[in-house]
Amino acid sequence: MSSAKAANPARRLFAAILACEAIVIALAIPVAVTVLDVDGGTAGAVCGGLAVACLVMAGLLRFPWAVAAGSVLQVLIIATGFMVPAMFFLGVVFGALWATAIWMGRKAAAVQAR
């Protein structure tokens, strides 16, 4: 698979982050409903939708725009902290992992280019 534009070397790391994030955001649904008295439909739509979006984005990482879209997804997941306050912290942790993956991917791409 030798092409002019090689695949992002951090693609597996991005996919792993998104998969773990999908699990965590899905687990926020029962917390929102039972502990924080958020409407079940709202919690399911927001958190469930973001969990599905994480999994779909993991499958779309072969496209160059997917990392930017994944970055937007990170911001949306941090915003779920308004529904489940613990998600502010968890969203920032996943955002930091995402930023680290971007940095590592660029570093690996630079090494591959040599």
Side-chain angles (χ1 to χ4, degrees):
M1 185 174 157
S2 180
S3 65
K5 175 90 172 153
N8 188 332
R11 194 164 122 186
R12 285 186 184 165
L13 183 54
F14 286 127
I17 292 168
L18 288 168
C20 291
E21 213 163 11
I23 294 167
V24 169
I25 195 75
L27 289 172
I29 297 170
V31 172
V33 173
T34 58
V35 177
L36 301 168
D37 292 325
V38 175
D39 176 60
T42 302
V46 173
C47 295
L50 286 171
V52 169
C54 285
L55 296 176
V56 169
M57 191 56 56
L60 295 174
L61 285 169
R62 65 185 171 274
F63 298 106
W65 52 264
V67 174
S71 298
V72 171
L73 194 54
Q74 300 308 310
V75 173
L76 294 174
I77 289 174
I78 292 170
T80 62
F82 290 109
M83 188 181 337
V84 180
M87 288 306 298
F88 282 127
F89 173 74
L90 292 170
V92 168
V93 168
F94 279 112
L97 289 170
W98 189 262
T100 301
I102 291 171
W103 174 73
M104 289 177 67
R106 287 181 180 161
K107 195 170 180 178
V111 169
Q112 283 180 346
R114 286 193 248 162

PDB file of all heavy atoms in Angstrom, residues 36-62:
ATOM      1  N   LEU A  36     -29.112  11.485  38.269  1.00  0.00           N
ATOM      2  CA  LEU A  36     -29.281  12.919  38.062  1.00  0.00           C
ATOM      3  C   LEU A  36     -30.663  13.318  37.559  1.00  0.00           C
ATOM      4  O   LEU A  36     -30.897  14.475  37.234  1.00  0.00           O
ATOM      5  CB  LEU A  36     -28.187  13.415  37.098  1.00  0.00           C
ATOM      6  CG  LEU A  36     -26.769  13.161  37.610  1.00  0.00           C
ATOM      7  CD1 LEU A  36     -25.759  13.394  36.509  1.00  0.00           C
ATOM      8  CD2 LEU A  36     -26.472  14.042  38.806  1.00  0.00           C
ATOM      9  N   ASP A  37     -31.584  12.364  37.478  1.00  0.00           N
ATOM     10  CA  ASP A  37     -32.968  12.620  37.077  1.00  0.00           C
ATOM     11  C   ASP A  37     -33.121  13.331  35.738  1.00  0.00           C
ATOM     12  O   ASP A  37     -33.993  14.170  35.552  1.00  0.00           O
ATOM     13  CB  ASP A  37     -33.709  13.419  38.168  1.00  0.00           C
ATOM     14  CG  ASP A  37     -33.914  12.608  39.434  1.00  0.00           C
ATOM     15  OD1 ASP A  37     -34.119  11.380  39.305  1.00  0.00           O
ATOM     16  OD2 ASP A  37     -33.851  13.182  40.520  1.00  0.00           O
ATOM     17  N   VAL A  38     -32.258  12.993  34.782  1.00  0.00           N
ATOM     18  CA  VAL A  38     -32.395  13.510  33.420  1.00  0.00           C
ATOM     19  C   VAL A  38     -33.426  12.637  32.721  1.00  0.00           C
ATOM     20  O   VAL A  38     -33.502  11.427  32.949  1.00  0.00           O
ATOM     21  CB  VAL A  38     -31.035  13.458  32.678  1.00  0.00           C
ATOM     22  CG1 VAL A  38     -31.170  13.870  31.225  1.00  0.00           C
ATOM     23  CG2 VAL A  38     -30.015  14.327  33.396  1.00  0.00           C
ATOM     24  N   ASP A  39     -34.244  13.246  31.872  1.00  0.00           N
ATOM     25  CA  ASP A  39     -35.235  12.493  31.103  1.00  0.00           C
ATOM     26  C   ASP A  39     -34.536  11.397  30.295  1.00  0.00           C
ATOM     27  O   ASP A  39     -33.504  11.644  29.659  1.00  0.00           O
ATOM     28  CB  ASP A  39     -35.980  13.456  30.166  1.00  0.00           C
ATOM     29  CG  ASP A  39     -36.954  12.733  29.277  1.00  0.00           C
ATOM     30  OD1 ASP A  39     -37.876  12.089  29.813  1.00  0.00           O
ATOM     31  OD2 ASP A  39     -36.781  12.799  28.045  1.00  0.00           O
ATOM     32  N   GLY A  40     -35.089  10.205  30.341  1.00  0.00           N
ATOM     33  CA  GLY A  40     -34.490   9.060  29.654  1.00  0.00           C
ATOM     34  C   GLY A  40     -34.335   9.262  28.161  1.00  0.00           C
ATOM     35  O   GLY A  40     -33.336   8.870  27.564  1.00  0.00           O
ATOM     36  N   GLY A  41     -35.342   9.865  27.541  1.00  0.00           N
ATOM     37  CA  GLY A  41     -35.268  10.114  26.106  1.00  0.00           C
ATOM     38  C   GLY A  41     -34.159  11.088  25.752  1.00  0.00           C
ATOM     39  O   GLY A  41     -33.430  10.902  24.776  1.00  0.00           O
ATOM     40  N   THR A  42     -34.020  12.117  26.558  1.00  0.00           N
ATOM     41  CA  THR A  42     -32.966  13.109  26.320  1.00  0.00           C
ATOM     42  C   THR A  42     -31.593  12.486  26.506  1.00  0.00           C
ATOM     43  O   THR A  42     -30.703  12.646  25.661  1.00  0.00           O
ATOM     44  CB  THR A  42     -33.131  14.307  27.283  1.00  0.00           C
ATOM     45  OG1 THR A  42     -34.418  14.867  27.092  1.00  0.00           O
ATOM     46  CG2 THR A  42     -32.060  15.350  27.038  1.00  0.00           C
ATOM     47  N   ALA A  43     -31.410  11.774  27.618  1.00  0.00           N
ATOM     48  CA  ALA A  43     -30.117  11.133  27.888  1.00  0.00           C
ATOM     49  C   ALA A  43     -29.783  10.115  26.807  1.00  0.00           C
ATOM     50  O   ALA A  43     -28.644  10.044  26.330  1.00  0.00           O
ATOM     51  CB  ALA A  43     -30.129  10.468  29.261  1.00  0.00           C
ATOM     52  N   GLY A  44     -30.774   9.332  26.408  1.00  0.00           N
ATOM     53  CA  GLY A  44     -30.545   8.324  25.374  1.00  0.00           C
ATOM     54  C   GLY A  44     -30.208   8.935  24.035  1.00  0.00           C
ATOM     55  O   GLY A  44     -29.313   8.465  23.325  1.00  0.00           O
ATOM     56  N   ALA A  45     -30.925  10.001  23.688  1.00  0.00           N
ATOM     57  CA  ALA A  45     -30.668  10.643  22.400  1.00  0.00           C
ATOM     58  C   ALA A  45     -29.292  11.296  22.356  1.00  0.00           C
ATOM     59  O   ALA A  45     -28.537  11.111  21.395  1.00  0.00           O
ATOM     60  CB  ALA A  45     -31.753  11.679  22.115  1.00  0.00           C
ATOM     61  N   VAL A  46     -28.960  12.046  23.408  1.00  0.00           N
ATOM     62  CA  VAL A  46     -27.683  12.766  23.418  1.00  0.00           C
ATOM     63  C   VAL A  46     -26.516  11.799  23.567  1.00  0.00           C
ATOM     64  O   VAL A  46     -25.618  11.746  22.716  1.00  0.00           O
ATOM     65  CB  VAL A  46     -27.663  13.837  24.535  1.00  0.00           C
ATOM     66  CG1 VAL A  46     -26.279  14.455  24.664  1.00  0.00           C
ATOM     67  CG2 VAL A  46     -28.697  14.920  24.260  1.00  0.00           C
ATOM     68  N   CYS A  47     -26.511  11.042  24.645  1.00  0.00           N
ATOM     69  CA  CYS A  47     -25.374  10.149  24.911  1.00  0.00           C
ATOM     70  C   CYS A  47     -25.342   8.979  23.933  1.00  0.00           C
ATOM     71  O   CYS A  47     -24.268   8.602  23.459  1.00  0.00           O
ATOM     72  CB  CYS A  47     -25.425   9.649  26.350  1.00  0.00           C
ATOM     73  SG  CYS A  47     -25.203  10.952  27.575  1.00  0.00           S
ATOM     74  N   GLY A  48     -26.510   8.414  23.647  1.00  0.00           N
ATOM     75  CA  GLY A  48     -26.551   7.310  22.683  1.00  0.00           C
ATOM     76  C   GLY A  48     -26.122   7.762  21.299  1.00  0.00           C
ATOM     77  O   GLY A  48     -25.387   7.068  20.592  1.00  0.00           O
ATOM     78  N   GLY A  49     -26.594   8.947  20.905  1.00  0.00           N
ATOM     79  CA  GLY A  49     -26.188   9.492  19.609  1.00  0.00           C
ATOM     80  C   GLY A  49     -24.691   9.731  19.521  1.00  0.00           C
ATOM     81  O   GLY A  49     -24.056   9.427  18.501  1.00  0.00           O
ATOM     82  N   LEU A  50     -24.111  10.246  20.592  1.00  0.00           N
ATOM     83  CA  LEU A  50     -22.663  10.475  20.594  1.00  0.00           C
ATOM     84  C   LEU A  50     -21.885   9.158  20.611  1.00  0.00           C
ATOM     85  O   LEU A  50     -20.823   9.056  19.984  1.00  0.00           O
ATOM     86  CB  LEU A  50     -22.260  11.352  21.778  1.00  0.00           C
ATOM     87  CG  LEU A  50     -22.617  12.831  21.634  1.00  0.00           C
ATOM     88  CD1 LEU A  50     -22.370  13.575  22.942  1.00  0.00           C
ATOM     89  CD2 LEU A  50     -21.826  13.464  20.498  1.00  0.00           C
ATOM     90  N   ALA A  51     -22.413   8.145  21.308  1.00  0.00           N
ATOM     91  CA  ALA A  51     -21.748   6.840  21.317  1.00  0.00           C
ATOM     92  C   ALA A  51     -21.734   6.244  19.910  1.00  0.00           C
ATOM     93  O   ALA A  51     -20.701   5.741  19.443  1.00  0.00           O
ATOM     94  CB  ALA A  51     -22.443   5.895  22.298  1.00  0.00           C
ATOM     95  N   VAL A  52     -22.868   6.326  19.225  1.00  0.00           N
ATOM     96  CA  VAL A  52     -22.939   5.831  17.844  1.00  0.00           C
ATOM     97  C   VAL A  52     -22.018   6.655  16.953  1.00  0.00           C
ATOM     98  O   VAL A  52     -21.304   6.112  16.101  1.00  0.00           O
ATOM     99  CB  VAL A  52     -24.395   5.847  17.331  1.00  0.00           C
ATOM    100  CG1 VAL A  52     -24.456   5.593  15.842  1.00  0.00           C
ATOM    101  CG2 VAL A  52     -25.226   4.820  18.089  1.00  0.00           C
ATOM    102  N   ALA A  53     -21.997   7.971  17.152  1.00  0.00           N
ATOM    103  CA  ALA A  53     -21.125   8.838  16.355  1.00  0.00           C
ATOM    104  C   ALA A  53     -19.653   8.456  16.545  1.00  0.00           C
ATOM    105  O   ALA A  53     -18.870   8.482  15.586  1.00  0.00           O
ATOM    106  CB  ALA A  53     -21.351  10.296  16.723  1.00  0.00           C
ATOM    107  N   CYS A  54     -19.271   8.111  17.772  1.00  0.00           N
ATOM    108  CA  CYS A  54     -17.883   7.679  18.023  1.00  0.00           C
ATOM    109  C   CYS A  54     -17.558   6.418  17.223  1.00  0.00           C
ATOM    110  O   CYS A  54     -16.484   6.322  16.619  1.00  0.00           O
ATOM    111  CB  CYS A  54     -17.671   7.408  19.509  1.00  0.00           C
ATOM    112  SG  CYS A  54     -17.549   8.873  20.535  1.00  0.00           S
ATOM    113  N   LEU A  55     -18.471   5.467  17.226  1.00  0.00           N
ATOM    114  CA  LEU A  55     -18.229   4.217  16.501  1.00  0.00           C
ATOM    115  C   LEU A  55     -18.200   4.445  14.993  1.00  0.00           C
ATOM    116  O   LEU A  55     -17.353   3.873  14.292  1.00  0.00           O
ATOM    117  CB  LEU A  55     -19.283   3.181  16.878  1.00  0.00           C
ATOM    118  CG  LEU A  55     -19.269   2.742  18.346  1.00  0.00           C
ATOM    119  CD1 LEU A  55     -20.420   1.795  18.637  1.00  0.00           C
ATOM    120  CD2 LEU A  55     -17.936   2.115  18.714  1.00  0.00           C
ATOM    121  N   VAL A  56     -19.101   5.274  14.500  1.00  0.00           N
ATOM    122  CA  VAL A  56     -19.104   5.590  13.066  1.00  0.00           C
ATOM    123  C   VAL A  56     -17.811   6.311  12.689  1.00  0.00           C
ATOM    124  O   VAL A  56     -17.176   5.999  11.675  1.00  0.00           O
ATOM    125  CB  VAL A  56     -20.345   6.430  12.697  1.00  0.00           C
ATOM    126  CG1 VAL A  56     -20.234   7.003  11.293  1.00  0.00           C
ATOM    127  CG2 VAL A  56     -21.610   5.593  12.835  1.00  0.00           C
ATOM    128  N   MET A  57     -17.399   7.265  13.514  1.00  0.00           N
ATOM    129  CA  MET A  57     -16.173   8.014  13.236  1.00  0.00           C
ATOM    130  C   MET A  57     -14.953   7.090  13.242  1.00  0.00           C
ATOM    131  O   MET A  57     -14.034   7.272  12.440  1.00  0.00           O
ATOM    132  CB  MET A  57     -16.001   9.138  14.257  1.00  0.00           C
ATOM    133  CG  MET A  57     -14.927  10.127  13.918  1.00  0.00           C
ATOM    134  SD  MET A  57     -15.118  10.917  12.307  1.00  0.00           S
ATOM    135  CE  MET A  57     -16.738  11.612  12.451  1.00  0.00           C
ATOM    136  N   ALA A  58     -14.951   6.096  14.118  1.00  0.00           N
ATOM    137  CA  ALA A  58     -13.845   5.136  14.135  1.00  0.00           C
ATOM    138  C   ALA A  58     -13.755   4.411  12.794  1.00  0.00           C
ATOM    139  O   ALA A  58     -12.660   4.103  12.315  1.00  0.00           O
ATOM    140  CB  ALA A  58     -14.023   4.137  15.274  1.00  0.00           C
ATOM    141  N   GLY A  59     -14.882   4.153  12.184  1.00  0.00           N
ATOM    142  CA  GLY A  59     -14.891   3.501  10.880  1.00  0.00           C
ATOM    143  C   GLY A  59     -14.531   4.426   9.730  1.00  0.00           C
ATOM    144  O   GLY A  59     -14.168   3.964   8.648  1.00  0.00           O
ATOM    145  N   LEU A  60     -14.638   5.719   9.942  1.00  0.00           N
ATOM    146  CA  LEU A  60     -14.358   6.692   8.882  1.00  0.00           C
ATOM    147  C   LEU A  60     -12.953   7.278   8.952  1.00  0.00           C
ATOM    148  O   LEU A  60     -12.637   8.210   8.206  1.00  0.00           O
ATOM    149  CB  LEU A  60     -15.390   7.833   8.950  1.00  0.00           C
ATOM    150  CG  LEU A  60     -16.835   7.446   8.659  1.00  0.00           C
ATOM    151  CD1 LEU A  60     -17.759   8.622   8.915  1.00  0.00           C
ATOM    152  CD2 LEU A  60     -16.972   6.945   7.236  1.00  0.00           C
ATOM    153  N   LEU A  61     -12.122   6.755   9.821  1.00  0.00           N
ATOM    154  CA  LEU A  61     -10.787   7.321  10.018  1.00  0.00           C
ATOM    155  C   LEU A  61      -9.877   7.210   8.801  1.00  0.00           C
ATOM    156  O   LEU A  61      -8.817   7.818   8.769  1.00  0.00           O
ATOM    157  CB  LEU A  61     -10.113   6.678  11.238  1.00  0.00           C
ATOM    158  CG  LEU A  61     -10.654   7.153  12.576  1.00  0.00           C
ATOM    159  CD1 LEU A  61     -10.141   6.275  13.701  1.00  0.00           C
ATOM    160  CD2 LEU A  61     -10.302   8.608  12.815  1.00  0.00           C
ATOM    161  N   ARG A  62     -10.293   6.475   7.792  1.00  0.00           N
ATOM    162  CA  ARG A  62      -9.462   6.363   6.585  1.00  0.00           C
ATOM    163  C   ARG A  62      -9.512   7.647   5.748  1.00  0.00           C
ATOM    164  O   ARG A  62      -8.689   7.839   4.867  1.00  0.00           O
ATOM    165  CB  ARG A  62      -9.888   5.164   5.747  1.00  0.00           C
ATOM    166  CG  ARG A  62     -11.273   5.253   5.175  1.00  0.00           C
ATOM    167  CD  ARG A  62     -11.669   3.968   4.452  1.00  0.00           C
ATOM    168  NE  ARG A  62     -13.069   3.961   4.083  1.00  0.00           N
ATOM    169  CZ  ARG A  62     -14.066   3.567   4.860  1.00  0.00           C
ATOM    170  NH1 ARG A  62     -13.802   3.117   6.070  1.00  0.00           N
ATOM    171  NH2 ARG A  62     -15.302   3.593   4.440  1.00  0.00           N
TER     172      ARG A  62
END
